[in-house]
Amino acid sequence: MTETEAALRTLAHNVRTARTRAGLSLDELGRRAKVSKGALVGLEKAQGNPNFATLVRLADTLGISVSALMEGPAEGRVRVVSADAVMPLWAGESGGEARLMLTTTGAAPVEVWRWKLEPGEEYPSHPHQSGVVETVSVTAGQMVLVVDGTEHAVEAGQTATFDGDAPHTYRGSGTETCHLIMTVHIPPGPGSTAY
């Protein structure tokens, strides 16, 4: 079995388990997450190739983290994750990317992301569920964070935080590649004690 096949099987299992735990039918999950029933059936059969936006909508609807949909069982007390061991979940047209490094465990998990944005490259995100808080810490370069239509310049050495339930966009600015660490703080949700 290839690494991609194994990842799809893990994703299929986790989506089915989270959907069942939440007491949702395929139709109801699809309606709430704005994903077709056919795509969900394929996903739960480990078929297809869901995009990043679909994974975020499913996770938000199920009240869990994106990585809770993608990770297998924990393998020990300490996890060390190398960036080159994690496939990008988003790839920009100019070479930017986003990698979900890991998600902490517990009732209110935190996703830890590594982002790279080239100048002018942007990623628009739909609003997340109420209670989600994001932080961005720029480690090199510059970016513009747009939250609910208002632009905020964030430079190397600066950190910004905002409620993720508003439309938001990350845009590389300046002349250098922008590198940032993003955290997504997820509120306790249905079945939160199970992961």
Side-chain angles (χ1 to χ4, degrees):
M1 175 182 336
T2 69
E3 190 174 318
T4 300
E5 290 170 332
L8 279 173
R9 285 187 183 183
T10 298
L11 177 62
H13 174 267
N14 292 345
V15 168
R16 188 172 36 258
T17 300
R19 179 179 62 78
T20 302
R21 184 182 306 129
L24 298 174
S25 67
L26 284 166
D27 286 325
E28 184 61 15
L29 176 58
R31 186 185 66 73
R32 290 184 187 184
K34 298 181 178 133
V35 175
S36 74
K37 181 179 178 181
L40 285 174
V41 168
L43 184 63
E44 288 194 3
K45 289 182 176 180
Q47 299 169 346
N49 186 15
N51 65 30
F52 179 51
T54 298
L55 294 175
V56 170
R57 286 195 308 271
L58 287 171
D60 281 350
T61 302
L62 293 166
I64 61 176
S65 67
V66 172
S67 64
L69 291 178
M70 302 177 65
E71 292 180 344
E75 295 183 13
R77 274 182 94 115
V78 176
R79 286 183 291 162
V80 177
V81 181
S82 174
D84 32 343
V86 178
M87 296 293 296
L89 289 179
W90 172 79
E93 293 180 8
S94 301
E97 62 184 27
R99 296 174 189 256
L100 177 56
M101 299 303 297
L102 59 84
T103 301
T104 62
T105 58
V110 177
E111 297 176 349
V112 179
W113 293 79
R114 285 178 162 267
W115 282 76
K116 178 174 80 168
L117 295 167
E118 297 300 330
E121 190 171 48
E122 66 178 39
Y123 176 79
S125 179
H126 74 285
H128 301 297
Q129 64 178 318
S130 180
V132 170
V133 175
E134 293 191 20
T135 64
V136 291
S137 296
V138 176
T139 59
Q142 305 172 3
M143 72 173 291
V144 173
L145 171 64
V146 183
V147 178
D148 215 9
T150 303
E151 295 188 358
H152 307 271
V154 187
E155 300 178 357
Q158 293 182 323
T159 299
T161 187
F162 61 97
D163 293 334
D165 60 355
H168 50 283
T169 299
Y170 314 108
R171 182 183 321 130
S173 63
T175 58
E176 303 172 25
T177 301
C178 176
H179 293 271
L180 62 108
I181 303 295
M182 178 181 73
T183 59
V184 180
H185 303 259
I186 301 164
S192 61
T193 57
Y195 61 85

